Amino acid sequence: MTILPVYAALLALLFVLLSIRTIRTRHSRKVALGHGDDPAMLRAMRVHANFAEYVPLALLLIYFVETGSHSPWLVHLLGSALLLGRLCHAFGMAAHRRTSVIGWREWG
């Protein structure tokens, strides 16, 4: 297993950035607990939580592919798709309005 740790590290970095964004939003909106009926706080929390809900399972499934002696290109494809999808989702959720019929969030 040599490919998956690279994607896991990049995703961990993204998770830290999303955490910092959530903390900063919480601080700027003066919301100590929950979302305080603030749409920006709720949005930041959901981006962070959605990442935490889906990425661990996806990494585990990619791990099974990598240890199953499949092509390294498949592992790269899955890891890249996961990373790109999470970036698109975070970008789309951060936007205050839609830029197209199918937005970044849906692509993510």
Side-chain angles (χ1 to χ4, degrees):
M1 184 175 74
T2 59
I3 300 169
L4 184 61
V6 173
Y7 291 102
L10 292 171
L11 287 160
L13 179 61
L14 178 56
F15 187 72
V16 168
L17 294 173
L18 292 174
S19 299
I20 291 169
R21 179 178 178 268
T22 302
I23 291 167
R24 285 185 175 170
T25 303
R26 186 172 295 285
H27 181 72
S28 70
R29 302 292 183 156
K30 298 185 183 351
V31 177
L33 187 62
H35 56 80
D37 292 327
D38 186 318
M41 186 70 244
L42 180 59
R43 191 177 310 112
M45 287 173 56
R46 284 309 312 150
V47 171
H48 187 245
N50 188 279
F51 188 102
E53 292 162 1
Y54 287 98
V55 170
L57 178 60
L59 286 173
L60 181 63
L61 294 173
I62 295 171
Y63 168 79
F64 292 147
V65 171
E66 186 170 15
T67 58
S69 301
H70 293 283
S71 169
W73 290 108
L74 179 59
V75 178
H76 279 296
L77 177 70
L78 294 171
S80 298
L82 178 60
L83 182 60
L84 182 62
R86 294 291 85 202
L87 285 168
C88 287
H89 182 266
F91 180 76
M93 286 290 288
H96 293 285
R97 60 180 174 84
R98 288 183 172 230
T99 56
S100 65
V101 174
I102 298 179
W104 289 103
R105 176 180 169 227
E106 289 82 3
W107 281 103

